[in-house]
Every structure is written in structure tokens, then in C-alpha cells.
Amino acid sequence: MDQSIINIVAKLAHLAFSKKEVPVGAVVVNHAGKIIGRGYNRMHGKKDATEHAEIRALRAAARKVGDWRLEGHTLVVNLEPCLMCLGAIANCRIREVIYFLADPVFGSAESKLTKAQLKELFPQLAIKKAADQGETKALLQQFFQQLRKKV
């Protein structure tokens, strides 16, 4: 994994954090390794449950290429995608998803579905977990600690 892509995903997660959103960032990378779509969570700010980082990155990439089909592209995200996002990713014909940290509450790539279920639901989609360098976990912990203090 290209370190510059990891850094951009982290910057997007920090941007979400600064807007009081769950700190998730995502990018869509084309065949040449160029980022063509970026997104970060905006559910609270936009008052829209579909404003996940992955969905926003897919929308930006589709605008860039002029088509909803993103065949052969890769989506990189710092947190395990939920089932809604996995469905959108597969529908866009994304080839591969790379994520860094499991999400035991909403994640569906490892936390809720088995490898067999994933293969049945999304036969063309490769899903890989890369090692989190600790930044995603630390940022999420900080976000939820701050959230608990406000309650």
C-alpha cells in the first residue's frame, strides 16, 4: 500500500473528526494508482444516513470518470465498511477494498459476515485488511471519549 494514499485517508478521517463526525476517510484509486475520489463521513452534518466516507468517495470517483461503473478500481478506507457501503462498492464494480481497522458494531467485511457469505454476496469483490498503524484506532477512541464527555 502506497504510504501517500494511507496519509490521504488519514487526513480525510481527521477532517471528519474536525467536523464532529465519526473519523472515517476513504479514497478510490484507479488502475494507475491515482486517487480519483475522496470522501469522509458527513452523516451528522448533512443529516443523511448515506453520507458515509465510502459512498462519498464513490460519488466523487463516478463524477470524475463520468460513469457509475468503476471497474478495476480500488477503494481504501480506514474503517471496515458497513453492509450498505459494501453493497454500493460492489454495485459500482469496484475490484478491491482495503481497510485498516475492524468495526465490531457495523462492519460487515469481517465482523458480521463470514468469508463464504462475502463470496456469495460479492463474488467479484476482493476484500483485504491492512495493518492499522494505530492512528485509526487512536482517532476513533479520542472521538468516542469526547462524545461520552458531552453526554
Side-chain angles (χ1 to χ4, degrees):
M1 171 68 43
D2 185 338
Q3 188 61 45
S4 65
I5 292 172
I6 294 169
N7 292 343
I8 292 169
V9 170
K11 285 180 186 175
L12 291 165
H14 281 278
L15 185 55
F17 182 88
S18 74
K19 294 180 181 292
K20 297 180 176 42
E21 300 279 352
V22 177
V24 179
V27 297
V28 175
V29 181
N30 70 9
H31 316 289
K34 182 179 179 203
I35 294 174
I36 61 164
R38 300 168 191 238
Y40 59 92
N41 276 3
R42 290 292 287 139
M43 288 181 7
H44 298 290
K46 299 277 188 177
K47 309 272 188 259
D48 183 343
T50 66
E51 288 288 322
H52 288 203
E54 300 94 324
I55 304 288
R56 292 171 54 87
L58 292 171
R59 288 176 181 152
R63 283 191 300 273
K64 179 85 170 179
V65 300
D67 194 359
W68 58 269
R69 292 175 197 87
L70 300 170
E71 293 170 300
H73 292 68
T74 298
L75 185 132
V76 182
V77 61
N78 64 325
L79 189 65
E80 178 184 8
C82 71
L83 191 55
M84 173 186 72
C85 290
L86 278 178
I89 290 163
N91 281 328
C92 288
R93 316 288 200 277
I94 291 285
R95 173 182 48 93
E96 178 180 51
V97 173
I98 300 170
Y99 69 97
F100 303 118
L101 188 67
D103 179 355
V105 177
F106 292 108
S108 293
E110 77 175 69
S111 298
K112 300 291 186 215
L113 299 174
T114 65
K115 288 184 182 200
Q117 289 170 322
L118 285 169
K119 196 66 175 165
E120 185 176 330
L121 288 169
F122 312 111
Q124 304 301 318
L125 183 61
I127 302 173
K128 297 178 183 172
K129 183 176 181 185
D132 177 36
Q133 306 300 320
E135 185 170 3
T136 298
K137 184 175 182 178
L139 192 59
L140 283 161
Q141 286 174 333
Q142 184 181 358
F143 175 80
F144 286 110
Q145 284 171 353
Q146 286 181 2
L147 195 62
R148 280 187 215 92
K149 286 179 185 174
K150 291 180 182 177
V151 176

